[in-house]
Amino acid sequence: MYRALALSSACLLLGAAAPPDAAYVKAVDAWHADRETRLAAEDGWLSLVGLDWLRPGENTLGTAPGSTVLLPAGTAPAQAGTFTVEGGAVRVRLLPCSGILVNGQAVETATLKTDADGKPDVLRAGRIIFYVIRRGERLGLRLKDPEAPARKAFHGVARFPVDPAWRVEADFIPYATPQVRAIPTVLGTSEPMTAPGLLRFKLKGRTLTLEPLIEDPAHPELFLIFSDASSGKGTYPAGRFLYAPMPKDGKVVLDFNRAYNPPCAFSHFATCPLPPKRNDLPIAIRAGEKDYGQH
């Protein structure tokens, strides 16, 4: 009887799936740990506490109720200065008593670089940092606070177990001419982004395609915004992000174990792009990060 049990156990072991390569799991775990560190940094996405859109002309800055850019009480005077929007540019004028610094310096006036111009100019009022963002024709001030409740309550992002089956090689099919796509955003607007081609791959017995984008031509890599059959059923309803290296010999490795939630999964003050319809996969990608829940 004992021999029969031993043989049965051996057969079960032989039929079991091989455990994932330890070095591969360690690499994905390290990537995710770094991802969580950046999320929880003092100026990470979890520190977002405000987004105030600017109007053409003069916009007020301070802690007084009704200020266009409203700072938390105790971080600046009631009236601290103004932002003037003219000709697509933003100029700040700070009152001498404001205590607000621009790039660490006390200034009276300055024309501010936005996040669309590279690294934006950063203003600081006490513990609050803020800077100008450009979204299409709109300009706004994004505020971050290291004491944000979302940051203080953060305990990590749940994810699926690492499984090498979700790491696949795709064929890259380049377009004769890169295509400019209007990518929808949570603001109800769209942002133009460049698609260099199409990725075709097999997963779970299906032949699938995704269209990657190029965010920064100066530092090219493939950026994928996708949804799938798990969206809203265990993963973030508005889809997830994934980066991949540029094609090599017509091939691209897609590792869905590194699929992650967009900033909008963590804050109402983010302005995320949404998956285009062509990137809605008909299967459930149960890999990478799970839905973070309410924020």
Side-chain angles (χ1 to χ4, degrees):
M1 180 176 70
Y2 292 111
R3 179 176 172 79
L5 286 173
L7 286 172
S8 176
S9 298
C11 289
L12 287 172
L13 288 171
L14 286 172
D21 178 78
Y24 170 67
V25 173
K26 185 177 180 180
V28 176
D29 287 346
W31 167 84
H32 194 256
D34 179 66
R35 147 94 170 142
E36 291 186 324
T37 297
R38 286 182 281 110
L39 261 179
E42 285 196 354
D43 61 348
W45 288 113
L46 291 165
S47 70
L48 280 182
V49 292
L51 175 59
D52 297 317
W53 296 107
L54 301 176
R55 300 181 296 267
E58 190 173 279
N59 301 263
T60 55
L61 166 68
T63 56
S67 298
T68 309
V69 180
L70 181 63
L71 297 172
T75 61
Q79 287 82 36
T82 58
F83 293 99
T84 301
V85 177
E86 187 175 12
V90 179
R91 187 167 185 80
V92 65
R93 181 179 295 276
L94 299 170
L95 297 179
C97 62
S98 73
I100 296 173
L101 303 178
V102 179
N103 296 329
Q105 303 294 318
V107 302
E108 181 179 341
T109 64
T111 298
L112 301 174
K113 286 175 59 179
T114 76
D115 65 341
D117 303 319
K119 189 175 181 181
D121 292 318
V122 176
L123 296 88
R124 179 178 289 275
R127 70 178 189 271
I128 305 297
I129 65 169
F130 51 113
Y131 52 90
V132 182
I133 66 170
R134 183 186 296 276
R135 296 295 179 268
E137 298 299 317
R138 302 179 74 183
L139 292 160
L141 266 294
R142 172 172 279 167
L143 283 70
K144 294 185 175 183
D145 180 357
E147 297 299 313
R151 180 173 183 260
K152 297 180 77 172
F154 182 64
H155 295 294
V157 184
R159 59 193 173 119
F160 295 94
V162 177
D163 184 349
W166 294 107
R167 183 179 185 274
V168 297
E169 186 176 73
D171 294 318
F172 176 67
I173 306 164
Y175 295 139
T177 303
Q179 302 293 302
V180 176
R181 304 298 192 198
I183 302 301
T185 76
V186 295
L187 300 176
T189 60
S190 63
E191 292 285 340
M193 298 185 75
T194 300
L198 201 64
L199 296 173
R200 180 179 293 138
F201 56 98
K202 289 185 178 181
L203 197 53
K204 299 296 180 181
R206 303 280 296 271
T207 297
L208 307 169
T209 61
L210 284 172
E211 186 176 70
L213 303 164
I214 302 291
E215 280 189 298
D216 183 1
H219 302 89
E221 59 182 336
L222 299 180
F223 175 45
L224 295 114
I225 313 168
F226 74 95
S227 56
D228 62 272
S230 75
S231 300
K233 301 174 182 177
T235 63
Y236 185 55
R240 289 177 288 170
F241 293 171
L242 178 65
Y243 282 93
M246 294 297 286
K248 184 176 181 181
D249 299 325
K251 303 291 184 180
V252 172
V253 173
L254 299 177
D255 191 347
F256 289 99
N257 291 294
R258 300 184 186 226
Y260 68 96
N261 294 325
C264 288
F266 306 96
S267 174
H268 293 297
F269 303 114
T271 59
C272 303
L274 298 171
K277 290 182 179 180
R278 64 181 65 86
N279 280 3
D280 184 14
L281 298 175
I283 67 170
I285 304 295
R286 301 198 180 280
E289 289 186 351
K290 297 180 179 181
D291 191 2
Y292 188 65
Q294 297 296 315
H295 54 68

